[in-house]
Coordinates of all heavy atoms in Angstrom, one line a residue:
M26 N -10.9 0.4 22.3 CA -10.7 -1.0 22.2 C -9.2 -1.4 22.1 O -8.7 -2.2 22.8 CB -11.4 -1.5 20.9 CG -11.3 -2.9 20.6 SD -12.4 -3.3 19.3 CE -11.8 -4.9 18.9
F27 N -8.4 -0.7 21.2 CA -7.0 -0.9 21.2 C -6.3 0.0 22.1 O -6.8 1.2 22.3 CB -6.5 -0.7 19.8 CG -7.0 -1.7 18.8 CD1 -7.8 -1.3 17.7 CD2 -6.6 -3.0 18.9 CE1 -8.2 -2.2 16.8 CE2 -7.1 -3.9 18.0 CZ -7.9 -3.5 16.9
P28 N -5.2 -0.4 22.7 CA -4.5 0.5 23.6 C -3.9 1.7 22.9 O -3.8 2.8 23.5 CB -3.5 -0.3 24.3 CG -3.3 -1.5 23.4 CD -4.6 -1.7 22.6
Y29 N -3.5 1.6 21.7 CA -2.8 2.7 20.9 C -3.4 2.7 19.5 O -2.8 2.3 18.6 CB -1.3 2.5 20.8 CG -0.7 2.3 22.2 CD1 -0.2 1.1 22.6 CD2 -0.5 3.4 23.0 CE1 0.4 1.0 23.9 CE2 0.1 3.3 24.2 CZ 0.5 2.1 24.7 OH 1.1 1.9 25.9
P30 N -4.6 3.2 19.4 CA -5.3 3.2 18.1 C -4.6 4.1 17.0 O -4.6 3.8 15.9 CB -6.7 3.7 18.4 CG -6.6 4.5 19.6 CD -5.5 3.8 20.4
E31 N -3.9 5.1 17.5 CA -3.2 6.0 16.5 C -2.1 5.2 15.8 O -1.9 5.3 14.6 CB -2.6 7.2 17.2 CG -3.6 8.1 17.8 CD -4.4 8.8 16.7 OE1 -3.8 9.2 15.7 OE2 -5.6 9.0 16.8
H32 N -1.4 4.3 16.5 CA -0.3 3.6 15.9 C -0.8 2.6 14.9 O -0.1 2.4 13.9 CB 0.6 2.9 17.0 CG 1.2 3.9 17.9 ND1 2.2 4.7 17.6 CD2 0.9 4.1 19.2 CE1 2.5 5.5 18.6 NE2 1.8 5.1 19.6
F33 N -1.9 2.0 15.2 CA -2.5 1.0 14.2 C -2.9 1.8 12.9 O -2.8 1.3 11.8 CB -3.7 0.3 14.8 CG -3.3 -0.7 15.9 CD1 -3.6 -0.4 17.2 CD2 -2.6 -1.8 15.5 CE1 -3.2 -1.3 18.2 CE2 -2.2 -2.8 16.5 CZ -2.5 -2.5 17.8
K34 N -3.5 3.0 13.1 CA -3.9 3.8 12.0 C -2.7 4.2 11.1 O -2.8 4.1 9.9 CB -4.7 5.0 12.5 CG -5.4 5.8 11.5 CD -6.3 6.8 12.0 CE -5.7 7.7 13.0 NZ -6.6 8.8 13.4
Y35 N -1.6 4.6 11.8 CA -0.4 5.0 11.0 C 0.3 3.9 10.3 O 1.0 4.1 9.3 CB 0.5 5.7 11.9 CG 0.0 7.0 12.6 CD1 0.5 7.4 13.8 CD2 -1.0 7.7 12.0 CE1 0.0 8.6 14.4 CE2 -1.5 8.9 12.5 CZ -1.0 9.3 13.7 OH -1.5 10.4 14.3
A36 N 0.1 2.7 10.8 CA 0.8 1.5 10.2 C 0.0 0.9 9.1 O 0.5 0.0 8.4 CB 1.0 0.5 11.3
A37 N -1.2 1.4 8.8 CA -2.0 0.8 7.7 C -1.3 0.9 6.3 O -1.4 -0.1 5.6 CB -3.4 1.5 7.7
P38 N -0.7 2.0 5.9 CA -0.1 2.0 4.5 C 1.0 1.0 4.4 O 1.1 0.3 3.4 CB 0.3 3.4 4.3 CG -0.6 4.2 5.2 CD -0.8 3.4 6.4
P39 N 2.0 0.9 5.4 CA 3.1 -0.1 5.2 C 2.5 -1.5 5.3 O 3.1 -2.4 4.6 CB 4.0 0.2 6.4 CG 3.8 1.6 6.7 CD 2.3 1.9 6.5
V40 N 1.5 -1.7 6.1 CA 0.9 -3.1 6.2 C 0.3 -3.4 4.8 O 0.4 -4.6 4.3 CB -0.1 -3.2 7.3 CG1 -0.9 -4.4 7.2 CG2 0.6 -3.1 8.7
A41 N -0.4 -2.5 4.2 CA -0.9 -2.7 2.8 C 0.2 -3.0 1.8 O 0.0 -3.9 0.9 CB -1.8 -1.5 2.4
T42 N 1.3 -2.3 1.9 CA 2.4 -2.6 1.0 C 3.0 -4.0 1.3 O 3.3 -4.7 0.3 CB 3.5 -1.5 1.2 OG1 2.9 -0.2 1.1 CG2 4.6 -1.7 0.2
S43 N 3.0 -4.4 2.5 CA 3.5 -5.7 2.9 C 2.6 -6.8 2.3 O 3.0 -7.8 1.8 CB 3.7 -5.9 4.4 OG 4.6 -4.9 4.9
I44 N 1.3 -6.5 2.4 CA 0.3 -7.5 1.9 C 0.4 -7.6 0.4 O 0.3 -8.7 -0.2 CB -1.1 -7.0 2.3 CG1 -1.4 -7.2 3.8 CG2 -2.2 -7.7 1.5 CD1 -2.6 -6.6 4.3
M45 N 0.8 -6.5 -0.3 CA 1.0 -6.5 -1.7 C 2.2 -7.4 -2.1 O 2.1 -8.2 -3.0 CB 1.3 -5.0 -2.2 CG 1.4 -4.8 -3.6 SD 1.5 -3.1 -4.2 CE 1.7 -2.1 -2.8
V46 N 3.2 -7.3 -1.3 CA 4.4 -8.2 -1.6 C 4.1 -9.6 -1.3 O 4.4 -10.5 -2.1 CB 5.6 -7.7 -0.8 CG1 6.8 -8.7 -0.8 CG2 6.1 -6.3 -1.2
I47 N 3.4 -9.9 -0.2 CA 3.1 -11.3 0.2 C 2.1 -11.8 -0.9 O 2.3 -13.0 -1.3 CB 2.5 -11.3 1.6 CG1 3.6 -11.0 2.6 CG2 1.9 -12.7 1.9 CD1 3.1 -10.7 4.0
W48 N 1.2 -11.1 -1.3 CA 0.2 -11.5 -2.4 C 1.0 -11.9 -3.7 O 0.7 -12.9 -4.3 CB -0.8 -10.5 -2.6 CG -1.8 -10.9 -3.7 CD1 -1.7 -10.5 -5.0 CD2 -2.8 -11.9 -3.7 NE1 -2.7 -11.1 -5.8 CE2 -3.4 -12.0 -5.0 CE3 -3.3 -12.7 -2.7 CZ2 -4.4 -12.8 -5.2 CZ3 -4.3 -13.5 -3.0 CH2 -4.9 -13.6 -4.2
A49 N 1.9 -11.0 -4.0 CA 2.7 -11.3 -5.3 C 3.5 -12.5 -5.2 O 3.5 -13.3 -6.1 CB 3.6 -10.1 -5.6
L50 N 4.1 -12.8 -4.0 CA 4.9 -14.0 -3.9 C 4.1 -15.2 -3.9 O 4.4 -16.2 -4.5 CB 5.8 -13.9 -2.6 CG 6.9 -12.8 -2.6 CD1 7.5 -12.7 -1.3 CD2 7.9 -13.1 -3.7
L51 N 3.0 -15.2 -3.1 CA 2.1 -16.4 -3.0 C 1.4 -16.6 -4.4 O 1.2 -17.8 -4.8 CB 1.1 -16.2 -1.9 CG 1.7 -16.2 -0.5 CD1 0.6 -16.0 0.5 CD2 2.4 -17.6 -0.3
S52 N 0.9 -15.6 -5.0 CA 0.2 -15.8 -6.3 C 1.1 -16.3 -7.4 O 0.7 -17.1 -8.3 CB -0.5 -14.6 -6.7 OG 0.4 -13.6 -7.1
Q53 N 2.4 -16.0 -7.3 CA 3.4 -16.5 -8.3 C 3.6 -18.0 -8.1 O 3.8 -18.7 -9.0 CB 4.7 -15.7 -8.1 CG 5.8 -16.2 -9.1 CD 5.4 -15.8 -10.6 OE1 4.7 -14.9 -10.8 NE2 6.0 -16.5 -11.5
L54 N 3.5 -18.4 -6.8 CA 3.7 -19.8 -6.6 C 2.4 -20.7 -6.9 O 2.6 -21.8 -7.4 CB 3.9 -20.1 -5.1 CG 5.3 -19.6 -4.5 CD1 5.3 -19.7 -3.0 CD2 6.4 -20.3 -5.2
V55 N 1.2 -20.1 -6.8 CA 0.0 -20.9 -6.9 C -0.6 -20.7 -8.3 O -1.1 -21.7 -8.9 CB -1.0 -20.5 -5.8 CG1 -2.3 -21.2 -6.0 CG2 -0.4 -20.7 -4.5
L56 N -0.6 -19.5 -8.8 CA -1.3 -19.2 -10.1 C -0.3 -19.1 -11.3 O 0.9 -18.9 -11.1 CB -2.0 -17.8 -10.0 CG -3.0 -17.7 -8.8 CD1 -3.5 -16.3 -8.6 CD2 -4.2 -18.6 -9.1
P57 N -0.8 -19.3 -12.5 CA 0.0 -19.2 -13.7 C 0.4 -17.8 -13.9 O -0.3 -16.8 -13.4 CB -0.9 -19.7 -14.8 CG -2.2 -19.6 -14.3 CD -2.2 -19.7 -12.8
P58 N 1.5 -17.5 -14.6 CA 2.0 -16.1 -14.8 C 1.0 -15.4 -15.6 O 0.4 -15.9 -16.6 CB 3.3 -16.3 -15.6 CG 3.8 -17.7 -15.3 CD 2.5 -18.5 -15.0
G59 N 0.7 -14.1 -15.2 CA -0.2 -13.3 -15.9 C -1.7 -13.5 -15.6 O -2.5 -13.0 -16.3
S60 N -1.9 -14.3 -14.5 CA -3.3 -14.6 -14.2 C -4.0 -13.3 -13.6 O -3.4 -12.5 -12.9 CB -3.3 -15.6 -13.1 OG -4.6 -15.8 -12.6
L61 N -5.2 -13.1 -14.1 CA -6.0 -12.0 -13.6 C -6.3 -12.1 -12.1 O -6.4 -11.0 -11.4 CB -7.3 -11.8 -14.4 CG -7.1 -11.2 -15.8 CD1 -8.5 -11.2 -16.5 CD2 -6.5 -9.9 -15.7
I62 N -6.5 -13.3 -11.6 CA -6.7 -13.5 -10.2 C -5.6 -12.9 -9.4 O -5.7 -12.4 -8.3 CB -7.0 -14.9 -9.9 CG1 -8.3 -15.4 -10.6 CG2 -7.2 -15.2 -8.4 CD1 -8.5 -16.9 -10.5
G63 N -4.4 -13.0 -9.9 CA -3.2 -12.5 -9.2 C -3.0 -11.0 -9.4 O -2.5 -10.4 -8.5
L64 N -3.4 -10.5 -10.5 CA -3.2 -9.1 -10.9 C -4.2 -8.1 -10.3 O -3.9 -7.0 -9.9 CB -3.1 -8.9 -12.4 CG -1.8 -9.4 -13.0 CD1 -1.9 -9.4 -14.5 CD2 -0.6 -8.6 -12.5
V65 N -5.5 -8.5 -10.3 CA -6.6 -7.6 -10.0 C -6.4 -7.1 -8.5 O -6.5 -5.9 -8.3 CB -7.9 -8.3 -10.2 CG1 -9.0 -7.4 -9.6 CG2 -8.2 -8.4 -11.7
P66 N -6.1 -7.9 -7.5 CA -5.9 -7.3 -6.2 C -4.8 -6.3 -6.1 O -4.8 -5.3 -5.4 CB -5.6 -8.5 -5.3 CG -6.2 -9.7 -6.0 CD -6.1 -9.4 -7.5
L67 N -3.7 -6.5 -6.9 CA -2.6 -5.6 -7.0 C -3.0 -4.3 -7.5 O -2.6 -3.2 -7.1 CB -1.5 -6.2 -7.8 CG -0.8 -7.4 -7.2 CD1 0.3 -7.9 -8.1 CD2 -0.2 -7.1 -5.8
F68 N -3.9 -4.3 -8.5 CA -4.4 -3.1 -9.1 C -5.2 -2.2 -8.1 O -5.4 -1.0 -8.3 CB -5.2 -3.3 -10.4 CG -4.4 -3.8 -11.5 CD1 -4.7 -4.9 -12.3 CD2 -3.2 -3.1 -11.9 CE1 -4.0 -5.3 -13.4 CE2 -2.4 -3.5 -12.9 CZ -2.8 -4.6 -13.7
F69 N -5.8 -2.9 -7.2 CA -6.6 -2.2 -6.2 C -5.8 -1.8 -4.9 O -6.2 -0.9 -4.2 CB -7.8 -3.0 -5.7 CG -8.9 -3.1 -6.8 CD1 -9.2 -4.3 -7.4 CD2 -9.6 -2.0 -7.1 CE1 -10.1 -4.3 -8.4 CE2 -10.6 -2.0 -8.1 CZ -10.9 -3.2 -8.7
L70 N -4.7 -2.4 -4.7 CA -4.0 -2.1 -3.5 C -3.3 -0.8 -3.5 O -3.3 0.0 -2.5 CB -2.9 -3.2 -3.2 CG -3.5 -4.4 -2.4 CD1 -2.5 -5.6 -2.4 CD2 -3.9 -4.1 -1.0
F71 N -2.6 -0.4 -4.6 CA -1.9 0.9 -4.6 C -2.9 2.1 -4.5 O -2.6 3.0 -3.7 CB -1.0 1.0 -5.8 CG -0.3 2.3 -5.8 CD1 0.7 2.6 -4.9 CD2 -0.6 3.3 -6.7 CE1 1.4 3.8 -4.9 CE2 0.1 4.5 -6.7 CZ 1.1 4.8 -5.8
P72 N -4.0 2.1 -5.2 CA -4.9 3.2 -5.0 C -5.5 3.2 -3.6 O -5.8 4.2 -3.0 CB -6.0 2.9 -6.0 CG -5.4 2.2 -7.1 CD -4.3 1.3 -6.4
G73 N -5.6 2.0 -3.0 CA -6.1 1.9 -1.6 C -5.1 2.5 -0.7 O -5.4 3.2 0.3
I74 N -3.8 2.3 -0.9 CA -2.7 3.0 -0.1 C -2.8 4.5 -0.2 O -2.7 5.2 0.8 CB -1.4 2.4 -0.5 CG1 -1.2 1.0 -0.1 CG2 -0.2 3.3 0.1 CD1 0.0 0.3 -0.7
I75 N -3.1 5.0 -1.4 CA -3.2 6.4 -1.6 C -4.4 7.0 -0.9 O -4.3 8.0 -0.2 CB -3.2 6.8 -3.1 CG1 -2.0 6.3 -3.8 CG2 -3.5 8.2 -3.4 CD1 -0.7 7.0 -3.3
V76 N -5.5 6.2 -0.9 CA -6.7 6.6 -0.2 C -6.5 6.7 1.3 O -6.9 7.6 2.0 CB -7.9 5.7 -0.6 CG1 -9.1 5.9 0.3 CG2 -8.3 6.0 -2.0
I77 N -5.8 5.7 1.8 CA -5.4 5.6 3.2 C -4.6 6.8 3.6 O -4.8 7.5 4.7 CB -4.7 4.3 3.6 CG1 -5.7 3.1 3.5 CG2 -4.2 4.4 5.0 CD1 -5.0 1.8 3.6
H78 N -3.6 7.2 2.8 CA -2.8 8.4 3.1 C -3.6 9.6 3.1 O -3.5 10.5 3.9 CB -1.7 8.5 2.1 CG -0.5 7.7 2.4 ND1 0.2 7.8 3.6 CD2 0.2 6.7 1.8 CE1 1.3 7.0 3.6 NE2 1.2 6.3 2.5
I79 N -4.5 9.7 2.1 CA -5.4 10.9 2.1 C -6.3 11.0 3.3 O -6.5 12.1 3.9 CB -6.2 10.9 0.8 CG1 -5.3 11.2 -0.4 CG2 -7.4 12.0 0.8 CD1 -6.0 11.0 -1.8
L80 N -6.8 9.9 3.7 CA -7.6 9.9 5.0 C -6.8 10.2 6.2 O -7.3 10.9 7.1 CB -8.3 8.5 5.1 CG -9.4 8.1 4.1 CD1 -9.9 6.7 4.3 CD2 -10.5 9.1 4.2
L81 N -5.5 9.8 6.2 CA -4.7 10.1 7.3 C -4.4 11.6 7.4 O -4.3 12.2 8.4 CB -3.4 9.3 7.3 CG -3.4 7.9 7.7 CD1 -2.1 7.2 7.4 CD2 -3.8 7.7 9.1
I82 N -4.2 12.2 6.2 CA -4.0 13.6 6.1 C -5.2 14.4 6.5 O -5.2 15.4 7.3 CB -3.5 14.0 4.7 CG1 -2.1 13.5 4.4 CG2 -3.5 15.6 4.6 CD1 -1.7 13.6 3.0
W83 N -6.4 13.9 6.1 CA -7.6 14.6 6.4 C -8.0 14.5 7.8 O -8.5 15.5 8.4 CB -8.7 13.9 5.6 CG -10.1 14.5 5.7 CD1 -11.0 14.2 6.6 CD2 -10.6 15.6 5.0 NE1 -12.1 15.0 6.5 CE2 -11.9 15.9 5.4 CE3 -10.1 16.4 3.9 CZ2 -12.6 16.9 4.9 CZ3 -10.9 17.4 3.4 CH2 -12.1 17.7 3.9
D84 N -7.6 13.4 8.5 CA -8.0 13.2 9.9 C -7.0 13.9 10.8 O -7.4 14.2 12.0 CB -8.0 11.7 10.2 CG -8.5 11.3 11.5 OD1 -9.5 12.0 11.9 OD2 -8.0 10.5 12.2
A85 N -5.8 14.2 10.4 CA -4.8 14.9 11.3 C -5.2 16.3 11.5 O -5.9 16.9 10.7 CB -3.5 14.7 10.7
Q86 N -4.7 16.9 12.6 CA -5.0 18.3 12.9 C -3.7 19.0 13.2 O -2.7 18.4 13.7 CB -5.9 18.4 14.1 CG -7.2 17.8 13.8 CD -7.9 17.3 15.0 OE1 -7.4 17.3 16.1 NE2 -9.1 16.7 14.8
G87 N -3.6 20.2 12.8 CA -2.4 21.1 13.1 C -1.2 20.6 12.4 O -1.2 20.3 11.2
M88 N -0.1 20.6 13.1 CA 1.2 20.2 12.5 C 1.2 18.7 12.2 O 2.1 18.3 11.4 CB 2.3 20.5 13.5 CG 2.7 22.0 13.6 SD 3.3 22.6 12.0 CE 4.9 21.9 11.9
K89 N 0.4 17.9 12.8 CA 0.3 16.5 12.4 C -0.1 16.3 11.0 O 0.2 15.3 10.3 CB -0.6 15.7 13.3 CG 0.0 15.6 14.7 CD -0.9 14.6 15.5 CE -0.2 14.4 16.8 NZ -0.6 13.1 17.4
R90 N -0.8 17.3 10.4 CA -1.2 17.2 9.0 C 0.0 17.3 8.1 O 0.1 16.6 7.1 CB -2.3 18.3 8.7 CG -2.8 18.2 7.3 CD -4.0 19.1 7.1 NE -5.1 18.4 7.9 CZ -6.3 19.0 8.1 NH1 -6.5 20.2 7.6 NH2 -7.2 18.4 8.7
L91 N 0.9 18.2 8.5 CA 2.2 18.3 7.7 C 3.0 17.1 7.9 O 3.6 16.6 6.9 CB 2.9 19.6 8.2 CG 4.2 19.9 7.5 CD1 3.9 20.2 6.0 CD2 4.9 21.0 8.1
D92 N 3.0 16.5 9.0 CA 3.8 15.2 9.2 C 3.2 14.1 8.4 O 3.9 13.3 7.8 CB 3.7 14.8 10.7 CG 4.5 15.7 11.6 OD1 5.3 16.5 11.1 OD2 4.2 15.7 12.8
Q93 N 1.8 14.1 8.3 CA 1.2 13.1 7.4 C 1.5 13.3 5.9 O 1.6 12.4 5.2 CB -0.3 13.0 7.7 CG -0.7 12.4 9.0 CD -0.2 11.0 9.2 OE1 -0.2 10.2 8.2 NE2 0.2 10.6 10.4
C94 N 1.6 14.6 5.6 CA 1.9 14.9 4.2 C 3.3 14.4 3.8 O 3.6 13.8 2.8 CB 1.9 16.4 3.9 SG 0.2 17.0 3.8
F95 N 4.3 14.6 4.7 CA 5.6 14.1 4.5 C 5.7 12.6 4.5 O 6.4 12.0 3.7 CB 6.6 14.7 5.6 CG 7.0 16.1 5.3 CD1 6.9 17.0 6.3 CD2 7.5 16.5 4.1 CE1 7.3 18.3 6.1 CE2 7.9 17.8 3.9 CZ 7.7 18.7 4.9
Y96 N 4.9 12.0 5.4 CA 4.8 10.5 5.4 C 4.3 10.0 4.1 O 4.8 9.0 3.6 CB 3.9 10.1 6.6 CG 3.6 8.7 6.8 CD1 4.6 7.7 6.6 CD2 2.4 8.3 7.2 CE1 4.3 6.4 6.8 CE2 2.1 6.9 7.4 CZ 3.1 6.0 7.2 OH 2.8 4.7 7.4
S97 N 3.3 10.6 3.6 CA 2.7 10.2 2.3 C 3.7 10.5 1.1 O 3.7 9.7 0.2 CB 1.4 10.8 2.0 OG 1.5 12.2 1.9
L98 N 4.4 11.6 1.2 CA 5.4 11.9 0.1 C 6.5 10.9 0.1 O 7.2 10.7 -0.9 CB 5.8 13.3 0.3 CG 4.8 14.4 -0.1 CD1 5.4 15.8 0.1 CD2 4.5 14.3 -1.6
I99 N 6.9 10.3 1.3 CA 8.0 9.4 1.3 C 7.4 8.0 1.0 O 8.0 7.3 0.2 CB 8.6 9.4 2.7 CG1 9.4 10.7 2.9 CG2 9.6 8.2 2.9 CD1 9.9 10.9 4.3
H100 N 6.3 7.6 1.6 CA 5.8 6.2 1.4 C 5.2 6.0 0.0 O 5.2 4.9 -0.5 CB 4.9 5.8 2.5 CG 4.4 4.4 2.4 ND1 3.1 4.1 1.9 CD2 5.0 3.3 2.6 CE1 3.0 2.8 1.9 NE2 4.1 2.3 2.3
G101 N 4.5 7.1 -0.5 CA 3.8 6.9 -1.8 C 4.7 6.5 -2.9 O 4.4 5.5 -3.6
P102 N 5.8 7.2 -3.2 CA 6.7 6.7 -4.3 C 7.3 5.4 -4.0 O 7.5 4.6 -4.9 CB 7.8 7.8 -4.4 CG 7.2 9.0 -3.8 CD 6.2 8.5 -2.7
L103 N 7.7 5.1 -2.8 CA 8.2 3.8 -2.5 C 7.2 2.7 -2.7 O 7.5 1.6 -3.3 CB 8.7 3.7 -1.0 CG 9.9 4.6 -0.7 CD1 10.2 4.6 0.8 CD2 11.1 4.2 -1.4
A104 N 6.0 2.9 -2.3 CA 4.9 2.0 -2.6 C 4.6 1.8 -4.1 O 4.3 0.7 -4.5 CB 3.6 2.4 -1.8
F105 N 4.8 2.9 -4.8 CA 4.6 2.8 -6.3 C 5.6 1.9 -6.9 O 5.3 1.1 -7.8 CB 4.6 4.2 -6.9 CG 4.5 4.2 -8.4 CD1 3.2 4.0 -8.9 CD2 5.6 4.3 -9.2 CE1 3.1 4.0 -10.3 CE2 5.4 4.3 -10.6 CZ 4.2 4.1 -11.1
V106 N 6.9 2.0 -6.4 CA 8.0 1.2 -7.0 C 7.7 -0.3 -6.6 O 7.8 -1.2 -7.5 CB 9.3 1.6 -6.4 CG1 10.4 0.7 -6.8 CG2 9.7 3.0 -7.0
V107 N 7.3 -0.5 -5.4 CA 7.0 -1.9 -5.0 C 5.8 -2.4 -5.8 O 5.8 -3.6 -6.2 CB 6.7 -2.0 -3.4 CG1 6.2 -3.3 -3.0 CG2 8.0 -1.6 -2.7
W108 N 4.8 -1.6 -6.0 CA 3.6 -2.0 -6.7 C 4.0 -2.4 -8.2 O 3.5 -3.4 -8.7 CB 2.6 -0.8 -6.7 CG 1.4 -1.0 -7.4 CD1 0.4 -2.0 -7.2 CD2 0.8 -0.2 -8.5 NE1 -0.7 -1.8 -8.0 CE2 -0.4 -0.8 -8.8 CE3 1.3 0.9 -9.2 CZ2 -1.2 -0.2 -9.8 CZ3 0.5 1.4 -10.2 CH2 -0.7 0.9 -10.5
T109 N 4.9 -1.6 -8.8 CA 5.3 -1.8 -10.1 C 6.0 -3.2 -10.2 O 5.7 -4.0 -11.1 CB 6.2 -0.7 -10.7 OG1 5.5 0.5 -10.5 CG2 6.6 -0.9 -12.1
F110 N 6.9 -3.4 -9.3 CA 7.6 -4.7 -9.4 C 6.8 -5.9 -9.0 O 7.0 -7.0 -9.5 CB 8.9 -4.6 -8.4 CG 10.0 -3.8 -9.1 CD1 10.4 -2.6 -8.5 CD2 10.6 -4.3 -10.2 CE1 11.4 -1.9 -9.0 CE2 11.7 -3.6 -10.8 CZ 12.1 -2.4 -10.2
T111 N 5.8 -5.7 -8.1 CA 4.9 -6.8 -7.9 C 4.0 -7.2 -9.1 O 3.8 -8.3 -9.4 CB 4.0 -6.6 -6.6 OG1 3.2 -5.4 -6.8 CG2 4.8 -6.5 -5.4
I112 N 3.6 -6.1 -9.8 CA 2.8 -6.4 -11.0 C 3.7 -7.1 -12.1 O 3.2 -8.0 -12.7 CB 2.2 -5.1 -11.6 CG1 1.1 -4.6 -10.7 CG2 1.7 -5.2 -13.0 CD1 0.5 -3.2 -11.0
M113 N 4.9 -6.7 -12.2 CA 5.8 -7.3 -13.1 C 6.1 -8.8 -12.7 O 6.2 -9.6 -13.5 CB 7.1 -6.5 -13.2 CG 6.9 -5.2 -14.0 SD 8.4 -4.2 -13.9 CE 9.6 -5.2 -14.8
H114 N 6.2 -9.0 -11.4 CA 6.5 -10.3 -10.9 C 5.3 -11.3 -11.1 O 5.5 -12.4 -11.6 CB 6.8 -10.2 -9.4 CG 7.2 -11.5 -8.8 ND1 8.4 -12.1 -9.0 CD2 6.5 -12.4 -7.9 CE1 8.5 -13.2 -8.3 NE2 7.4 -13.4 -7.7
V115 N 4.1 -10.8 -10.9 CA 2.9 -11.6 -11.1 C 2.7 -11.8 -12.6 O 2.2 -12.8 -13.0 CB 1.7 -11.0 -10.3 CG1 0.5 -11.8 -10.7 CG2 2.0 -11.1 -8.9
G116 N 2.9 -10.7 -13.4 CA 2.7 -10.7 -14.8 C 3.5 -11.7 -15.6 O 3.1 -12.1 -16.7
G117 N 4.7 -12.1 -15.0 CA 5.5 -13.0 -15.7 C 6.2 -12.4 -16.9 O 6.7 -11.3 -16.9
N118 N 6.1 -13.1 -18.1 CA 6.7 -12.6 -19.3 C 5.7 -11.8 -20.1 O 6.0 -11.6 -21.3 CB 7.1 -13.8 -20.1 CG 8.3 -14.6 -19.5 OD1 9.1 -13.9 -18.7 ND2 8.4 -15.8 -19.7
G119 N 4.6 -11.4 -19.6 CA 3.6 -10.6 -20.3 C 4.1 -9.2 -20.7 O 3.6 -8.6 -21.6
F120 N 5.2 -8.7 -20.1 CA 5.7 -7.4 -20.4 C 6.8 -7.4 -21.4 O 7.3 -6.4 -21.8 CB 6.2 -6.7 -19.1 CG 5.1 -6.3 -18.2 CD1 4.8 -7.0 -17.0 CD2 4.2 -5.2 -18.5 CE1 3.8 -6.7 -16.2 CE2 3.2 -4.9 -17.6 CZ 3.0 -5.6 -16.5
S121 N 7.3 -8.6 -21.8 CA 8.4 -8.6 -22.7 C 7.9 -8.9 -24.2 O 6.8 -9.2 -24.4 CB 9.3 -9.7 -22.4 OG 8.7 -11.0 -22.3

């Protein structure tokens, strides 16, 4: 169906991280600080990113599996930092 399905599959974790940032910015504008409607999707997005990375590692074969491991070791901590700051941004003054 897609001309390059591998590239779409590899782009899923950064796209999920981008959705996390966009959701945090939009929910801060629309919802009150600390709203559960704004926080709950964020709580599911980071574990979803980890699951996507695990599926990418599982699906890869040969040396591509090692490449996917490095990809997840680089993107995982970066996504965790972004996830933490999006939760703090949506949470408002709830952490102080």
